[in-house]
Amino acid sequence: MSVPGEREAGLARAVETLARGEVVAIPTETVYGLAADATLPLGVARIFEVKGRPRFNPLIVHVPSIEAAEQWAEFDPLARKLTEALWPGPLTLVLPKRVGSGIAELATAGLDTIAIRVPAHPVAQALLEAYGRPLAAPSANRSGKVSPTTAAHVTADLGDAVEVILDGGPASVGLESTIVSTAGGRLTLLRPGGLAAEEIERVAGRALERGEGGPVRAPGMLASHYAPAAALRLGAHDVRPGEVLLAFGSGALRGAEGAVAVRNLSPSGDLREAAANLFGALRELDGKAATIAVMPVPETGLGVAINDRLRRAAAPRND
Ligand code: TXA
Ligand code: MG
């Protein structure tokens, strides 16, 4: 993307690709991201497919400005103070998600909060401005590999699966963003990263809490925060009286006509479609019955992450 005309053409291709619900690798100042339109569930599902992630973690949503961020997240005074001083930059805030904002449930793993940041890289900025929609993006590496800091790293890791890789040179920070929560008027460090804690404390005028002793806050564990109130009966081959049904595929099920409610993750058995629908379907069925009967989902491709999430949702609660 060194030649100006090339950069324009790259951005245009990226915009067209994102609008189709496909992924684009983008440079940011921290690491390269694998981006999809955060409002398109199938696009977000594609991120997990390409990364080969065995779990659905909530993703960071990227926007071009504080004004854009306010469309998707609720800002408190502390969040405003931090972002006015430190955005654009390697700082991600976890904030309450605006109700009905249109962010795909899969992007936030069904949580009521959203992790959001304004990246400082000029190519990321240009793409966010040109596209005009928020982009969900984890690091652009295959699951289990280290984060890429050059376009060549992305090509080596994901090249075959990603149509467009925007080259913005080596990432200047080279470490993922620092993640902070301001929930409950507290300032909590969720993940150390490319912005030093001292810098955040200086702006906030107070110390960061490290999250010890409180509820589980480690980002990797957050997917377990959202669990339906209903019990899940996995691998169901029938529907029992009083149950609701979370279906997959077109197979018939004994007792299905008696189900209190039915949601099908993908009538055609498409795992990407199923992933895109998973969190929304769980929310819709929750509260309609004491037990959700869940049809088997194949343990291949995105099915691995779908089953991981279902097993977590089915596990006994300790809260
Ligand atoms: O620098 C970065 O942050 C890079 C670039 C591409 O922006 N992105 C990145 O994304 O590192 P990812 O998906 O690898 O990491 C996202 C982290 C995960 O640890 C996730 O658990 C946490 O953010 N996270 C996302 N949403 C959250 C939420 N609502 N509450 C708490 N943590 C959240
Ligand atoms: Mg990562």
Side-chain angles (χ1 to χ4, degrees):
M1 299 289 115
S2 46
V3 183
E6 253 177 56
R7 174 171 294 193
E8 295 303 308
L11 285 178
R13 265 193 80 202
V15 164
E16 175 271 322
T17 305
L18 290 165
R20 271 193 281 122
E22 260 302 326
V23 293
V24 167
I26 62 166
T28 86
E29 77 280 27
T30 58
V31 299
Y32 274 70
L34 186 65
D37 185 326
T39 68
L40 295 179
L42 284 173
V44 178
R46 181 82 182 123
I47 291 176
F48 291 97
E49 190 170 59
V50 169
K51 277 184 71 87
R53 252 196 196 176
R55 287 178 52 183
F56 295 129
N57 296 338
L59 304 174
I60 295 173
V61 173
H62 300 70
V63 290
S65 63
I66 297 179
E67 298 72 61
E70 294 200 38
Q71 201 183 327
W72 314 101
E74 307 266 7
F75 278 65
D76 56 71
L78 180 54
R80 197 157 279 122
K81 190 172 176 184
L82 289 172
T83 55
E84 275 167 10
L86 300 169
W87 276 0
L91 172 69
T92 294
L93 284 187
V94 172
L95 298 171
K97 185 161 74 169
R98 270 198 193 282
V99 179
S101 65
I103 295 288
E105 290 281 348
L106 188 60
T108 56
L111 297 169
D112 295 326
T113 50
I114 180 172
I116 196 159
R117 85 178 187 98
V118 176
H121 195 288
V123 173
Q125 277 280 337
L127 178 62
L128 287 164
E129 289 289 356
Y131 190 57
R133 317 271 315 152
L135 298 179
S139 50
N141 51 288
R142 209 168 282 288
S143 186
K145 298 273 185 82
V146 297
S147 297
T149 54
T150 67
H153 294 164
V154 181
T155 307
D157 223 17
L158 302 174
D160 298 342
V162 182
E163 285 177 45
V164 180
I165 300 174
L166 295 179
D167 190 345
S172 60
V173 175
L175 264 185
E176 286 93 346
S177 60
T178 302
I179 308 181
V180 158
S181 156
T182 59
R186 305 172 70 164
L187 180 63
T188 311
L189 180 67
L190 299 181
R191 177 179 78 179
L195 185 65
E198 293 75 17
E199 186 80 352
I200 297 167
E201 292 177 328
R202 190 182 54 74
V203 171
R206 63 162 109 170
L208 271 163
E209 299 178 39
R210 310 284 156 156
E212 293 117 340
V216 179
R217 287 175 186 275
M221 305 183 71
L222 270 153
S224 61
H225 272 192
Y226 170 67
L232 267 66
R233 188 165 66 78
L234 302 183
H237 291 286
D238 61 357
V239 180
R240 299 175 188 166
E243 288 184 337
V244 290
L245 173 63
L246 186 61
F248 175 83
S250 58
L253 219 60
R254 193 152 24 91
E257 65 288 344
V260 175
V262 181
R263 274 293 312 265
N264 197 323
L265 291 174
S266 171
S268 68
D270 178 318
L271 288 166
R272 173 142 76 116
E273 182 183 35
N277 287 330
L278 178 65
F279 289 104
L282 281 173
R283 270 184 194 252
E284 272 182 43
L285 290 178
D286 199 16
K288 293 203 165 100
T291 303
I292 305 174
V294 184
M295 282 174 73
V297 173
E299 189 77 9
T300 56
L302 281 177
V304 176
I306 293 171
N307 285 321
D308 169 82
R309 192 65 197 79
L310 288 170
R311 276 192 294 273
R312 281 165 198 284
R317 311 289 142 67
N318 48 15
D319 57 2

